[in-house]
Amino acid sequence: MHPHDAPACLGAISAWLDPSRSVPLPAVNDEEGPRLPEGLPPVVDAHVHLFPDRVFEATWRWFEQYGWPIRYKLHTPEVVSFLLSRGVSRVVALAYSHKPGMARFLNQYMAEVVRAEPRVLGLATVLPGEEGATEILSEAFAAGLQGVKLHCHVQCFSPDAPALHEVYAACARAGRPLVMHAGREPASPHYPCDPHALCSAERVERVLQDHPTLKLCVPHMGADEFDAYARLLERYDTLWLDTTMAMADFFPIALPRRALDVRPERILYGTDFPQLPYAWDRELKQLLALRLGDEVEAGLLGQNALRLFGQVP
C-alpha cells in the first residue's frame, strides 16, 4: 500500500481508514519475538516491500499521516537482513510504480537486490497503460524478476480495465505470477481514486475468465470481500490469496477463515513488512494459534509460495 503524494480522492470514505473515526490508526505495542520459533517448516514471507530510499521515506510520511505508525522504518538492506536473520528462509519482494516512466527504474533496482541476495524473489512492476509496458516487463523478466506486482488503489485502475490485458498476456506468456492488490480495502479517502469504485471480486473474476492461464495472487485475503474470494478459490485453479494484514487481528474484522478451510494450498503467508504498526511476527503467531496441522502449515508458511513462484517442481 503506497500512495506517495496522492491528492484526496472524491469517492466514498472507507470503513477501515475513516478519518472521522481516527487516522492514523493507533499502533499496537505488542512484543516481538527474537526469531522464528524452533521446529517450523521453512517460512517464506510472500509480501515484503522493497523500495529505493526516497520512495520508502515518502511512503512512511503518508502512512504516518493517513494510515498507521510505521514500526520498522528500515531501508532495503536492513529489511532483508532483519527478516533473514530471524529465520525467514525466502522473501518475495514487491514494488510498484505510481507514474509513467518509473517502472524501469524500480525494476532495475529490484534486479540489483536479487543479484546481491538470492534468497530474495523480486517482482517487477509496470504502470498499466504506459507506453512500452510489454517491453518493460520482458526486460524485467530477462533481468531475473519472478513476477509482477500491481496495486489498483495506488495506480488507479480497475482489474478488468482494457489497459491491463497486455500486462496479463505478458505474464501468462512468460509463466510469471501476478500479485495484484485488487481487494477494496484497506482503502483511504487520501488515495488518488476510490478503491471501492474500482475494485470488486466480480471484476477479478472477469480477469480469471478472460486470462485462464494467468496465475493471479490477490493480497490481504481479498479484503474486504472475504466470502466472495473464498468462492472464487473454489472455482478457479489459477487464483491464490495471501494473508497480509488480514489475519493479524489489527483491523476491526472477523478472522477470514473460510478461504483457509476451502483451499489451504492456495493461501500464502505474507506480512507487508516493513510497513507495519505491530510486531513483525504478529501475523505468524495468529496463524500458528489456529493449529491447522503440519501439512497445511508447511504449505501456508512457505511451500505454497515456492510453488507459485516456480521454486519447487
Side-chain angles (χ1 to χ4, degrees):
M1 292 166 281
H2 181 32
H4 297 277
D5 299 319
C9 80
L10 302 177
I13 292 178
S14 160
W16 291 18
L17 293 176
D18 182 346
S20 69
R21 290 170 46 169
S22 179
V23 174
L25 300 178
V28 179
N29 296 316
D30 52 340
E31 183 178 356
E32 64 176 42
R35 59 180 294 109
L36 295 177
E38 294 292 333
L40 287 183
V43 174
V44 176
D45 190 334
H47 196 121
V48 174
H49 289 293
L50 297 182
F51 293 107
D53 291 0
R54 291 180 63 185
V55 180
F56 253 144
E57 290 156 10
T59 308
W60 300 335
R61 287 193 296 270
W62 188 93
F63 272 99
E64 293 286 337
Q65 187 171 0
Y66 302 120
W68 48 78
I70 301 297
R71 182 159 169 173
Y72 301 97
K73 291 184 178 179
L74 304 175
H75 293 115
T76 293
E78 290 79 23
V79 170
V80 174
S81 175
F82 185 102
L83 293 174
L84 295 181
S85 69
R86 283 159 176 77
V88 175
S89 64
R90 304 290 292 272
V91 166
V92 179
L94 315 176
Y96 37 84
S97 57
H98 69 288
K99 61 184 179 181
M102 188 178 183
R104 274 195 171 95
F105 166 67
L106 291 176
N107 294 342
Q108 291 166 359
Y109 178 84
M110 189 67 78
E112 291 172 2
V113 172
V114 170
R115 283 193 290 270
E117 175 48 78
R119 289 174 289 180
V120 174
L121 302 175
L123 271 57
T125 192
V126 70
L127 186 67
E130 73 174 304
E131 185 177 355
T134 299
E135 182 182 352
I136 290 170
L137 292 181
S138 295
E139 293 171 358
F141 297 154
L145 300 187
Q146 299 295 321
V148 175
K149 165 67 174 178
L150 300 178
H151 199 314
C152 296
H153 298 198
V154 177
Q155 297 177 307
C156 286
F157 65 85
S158 296
D160 57 348
L164 273 294
H165 289 301
E166 64 176 333
V167 176
Y168 298 147
C171 290
R173 280 196 306 271
R176 299 297 207 281
L178 171 67
V179 177
M180 179 167 65
H181 188 151
R184 303 185 302 189
E185 292 287 351
S188 168
H190 299 282
Y191 279 125
C193 47
D194 178 6
H196 280 251
L198 292 174
C199 300
S200 71
E202 181 181 3
R203 290 178 182 269
V204 168
E205 184 167 21
R206 291 186 199 128
V207 175
L208 296 168
Q209 292 170 341
D210 291 344
H211 299 272
T213 61
L214 174 70
K215 294 182 284 188
L216 176 64
C217 180
V218 176
H220 311 289
M221 300 295 284
D224 61 337
E225 297 179 284
F226 298 122
D227 287 342
Y229 275 97
R231 289 192 293 271
L232 291 184
L233 277 182
E234 291 181 286
R235 297 175 195 154
Y236 296 95
D237 289 335
T238 52
L239 177 65
W240 286 256
L241 305 177
D242 81 29
T243 67
T244 301
M245 294 197 80
M247 292 192 165
D249 191 27
F250 176 70
F251 293 113
I253 58 173
L255 185 76
R257 175 67 186 266
R258 186 182 167 208
L260 266 174
D261 294 332
V262 169
R263 304 256 343 235
E265 77 281 5
R266 292 302 172 119
I267 309 298
L268 316 182
Y269 165 65
T271 63
D272 238 343
F273 193 83
Q275 323 284 55
L276 298 177
Y278 48 71
W280 69 278
D281 54 349
R282 179 183 180 86
E283 194 145 23
L284 179 75
K285 292 174 182 176
Q286 298 287 335
L287 291 168
L288 293 176
L290 297 176
R291 300 188 179 279
L292 298 169
D294 291 347
E295 183 177 352
V296 171
E297 282 187 359
L300 170 65
L301 296 182
Q303 287 300 307
N304 297 344
L306 294 177
R307 281 192 290 267
L308 174 60
F309 292 101
Q311 303 301 301
V312 294

